[in-house]
Amino acid sequence: MRESSQGVTVVALLADPDAPTEIARHLAGVLPARLAGKSGQGRRFDVEVVSAPFTAGTEDLTTLTRRIMDRRRAEHWDIVVALTDLPLHSHGHKLLVELSHEHGWALLSLPSLGGLRFRRRALRAVEETVLSLASQQATGAGETPHHQSLGLFVSRLAPIHPGPIGEEETADLRYVVSGPGGYLRVLGGMVRANQPWRLVPGLSKALAAALATGAVATVNSTLWSLSEALSTPRLVIAMVGSVALMIGWLIVDAHLWHRSADTSPEERKRTGLYNASTIVTVGIGVLVCYAGLVVINLVWALFILNDRVYASTTRTPLHAAEYWTLSWFVASIATVGGALGSGFESDEAIRAAAYSKREQDRRRMLEDDDD
């Protein structure tokens, strides 16, 4: 590892395209001052962002390590921290970060940071990682890398513990997440990387069908009577059923369910994690659509319904509770109509709306391998 003659340590954030690059650019704006303040000794840091698909075509840690080291040597960086939004695994554990103090590199799997307070956790993780690597440069042979830790970074991101390292591996420090808490953390990070809110504008044809269904259903007098007769538990059942139907239809119709030919226990766990993230991602997107339909149907009902006509049909005055019940019931019907309309969406359009760019590339690679 080298330090420039001007006393500036060059730190590169090598980030996969899309979300990791956005995070890296955010970090690059605040890291230099924080690193300089905590490292002491008058050291300055120059942080640059390089967006490159270094995980393209592989999730193998050995391959990724080699790519990171080759890029560092070619660019003459002092320290390189690679960021990816793919969930990586090591020796059966979900990887959070691994470092090589000797070679000045680190690899951070962003999903293991979880879905909440993500930017703060990412800043803390990269900061502690760079300081750990820089301290080895300053102390030289002072401390054995195997006994270094990332201090507060680890204590704040429990459940995290040191992971096993093979004798032939380049890394000398590795942290992994485990247990139910670790599983939920990685799942939340994967869902956040997929950005489920993008599913709403990505399903234009399904939304058009749902809106048309809702508009017609709102003025149907038979549905007025039905909404008055249904109890709250039945309305909840109708909501859950319509949302579940929409989720299932999108996953099946767009072939979002991941299947692996590898039957090993580790691969089964990995496949289950990917499928769980798909269900949660699509589920959040559909729930957002459902909430939007309720609001739109309520506004439409307030505009179009006549209280006299409604009362003459249902024998019930049209008050706020009736508006709400009808809009809620119509949203369930409209969601079923949206599920049918989603059949007109292309598989690629739905995948683009449901997954991050890295996840799309990974699934496309798996399909090519199966072919």
Side-chain angles (χ1 to χ4, degrees):
M1 192 182 300
R2 68 167 181 86
E3 187 171 282
S4 63
S5 57
Q6 293 83 7
V8 178
T9 300
V10 179
V11 179
L13 300 181
L14 178 61
D16 268 334
D18 203 22
T21 297
E22 294 178 9
I23 291 296
R25 288 171 179 162
H26 167 73
L27 298 180
V30 297
L31 272 175
R34 292 176 63 97
L35 292 172
K38 293 189 176 183
S39 64
Q41 302 176 351
R43 177 177 296 186
R44 292 185 296 143
F45 292 84
D46 181 15
V47 180
E48 60 181 85
V49 176
V50 178
S51 181
F54 69 94
T55 60
T58 184
E59 297 179 41
D60 178 62
L61 288 181
T62 302
T63 303
L64 296 179
T65 297
R66 185 172 62 251
R67 291 178 180 178
I68 296 169
M69 292 178 62
D70 291 344
R71 189 66 183 265
R72 176 182 175 272
R73 281 193 293 264
E75 302 289 345
H76 303 290
W77 295 321
D78 294 323
I79 295 172
V80 55
V81 179
L83 308 176
T84 180
D85 56 359
L86 283 181
L88 301 176
H89 295 74
S90 171
H91 300 280
H93 299 283
K94 302 170 186 66
L95 177 71
L96 173 59
V97 63
E98 66 175 15
L99 305 83
S100 172
H101 293 84
E102 178 182 357
H103 299 94
W105 63 263
L107 173 61
L108 177 64
S109 178
L110 295 175
S112 295
L113 295 174
L116 302 176
R117 295 176 296 175
F118 178 75
R119 290 201 169 189
R120 182 186 303 176
R121 288 175 172 176
L123 174 60
R124 187 68 178 179
V126 175
E127 179 184 306
E128 292 288 342
T129 298
V130 173
L131 290 174
S132 179
L133 294 172
S135 67
Q136 180 70 10
Q137 173 186 354
T139 59
E143 185 178 12
T144 305
H146 285 75
H147 294 91
Q148 294 180 356
S149 69
L150 299 186
L152 294 175
F153 162 57
V154 174
S155 64
R156 291 193 177 194
L157 294 180
I160 295 170
H161 59 83
I165 300 175
E167 295 182 358
E168 298 181 356
E169 293 187 80
T170 309
D172 51 45
L173 185 63
R174 173 178 292 147
Y175 284 94
V176 296
V177 296
S178 61
Y183 181 90
L184 293 176
R185 183 182 294 272
V186 175
L187 179 60
M190 293 174 68
V191 171
R192 187 194 184 282
N194 288 336
Q195 300 178 356
W197 49 89
R198 299 187 308 178
L199 193 65
V200 179
L203 296 176
S204 57
K205 294 182 177 64
L207 286 175
L211 291 173
T213 303
V216 173
T218 301
V219 297
N220 188 302
S221 59
T222 302
L223 292 181
W224 300 349
S225 300
L226 273 176
S227 66
E228 285 297 322
L230 290 176
S231 61
T232 299
R234 290 191 175 186
L235 288 170
V236 171
I237 292 173
M239 177 185 68
V240 173
S242 62
V243 169
L245 177 63
M246 182 69 160
I247 294 172
W249 178 258
L250 287 174
I251 291 176
V252 172
D253 186 59
H255 307 288
L256 302 182
W257 196 256
H258 176 56
R259 293 182 176 86
S260 176
D262 189 349
T263 58
S264 64
E266 181 176 345
E267 182 59 29
R268 284 201 300 269
K269 291 181 181 179
R270 184 179 305 185
T271 299
L273 184 62
Y274 279 120
N275 287 331
S277 71
T278 295
I279 293 173
V280 176
T281 298
V282 176
I284 292 175
V286 171
L287 286 174
V288 171
C289 290
Y290 188 94
L293 287 172
V294 171
V295 174
I296 293 173
N297 290 332
L298 180 59
V299 173
W300 174 241
L302 288 169
F303 173 76
I304 202 69
L305 293 185
N306 181 280
D307 53 350
R308 293 181 184 177
V309 176
Y310 185 91
S312 65
T313 302
T314 63
R315 300 180 184 275
T316 303
L318 186 57
H319 297 309
E322 284 68 36
Y323 277 113
W324 166 252
T325 302
L326 178 62
S327 301
W328 185 8
F329 182 47
V330 168
S332 299
I333 297 173
T335 300
V336 176
L340 298 176
S342 67
F344 296 101
E345 305 277 4
S346 67
D347 293 353
E348 286 300 320
I350 296 177
R351 292 183 184 184
Y355 294 131
S356 66
K357 188 178 186 303
R358 291 291 94 204
E359 179 64 6
Q360 293 177 54
D361 293 342
R362 188 193 70 83
R363 289 175 177 261
R364 193 176 298 113
M365 179 191 69
L366 291 175
E367 288 180 357
D368 293 340
D369 291 343
D370 292 340
D371 294 340

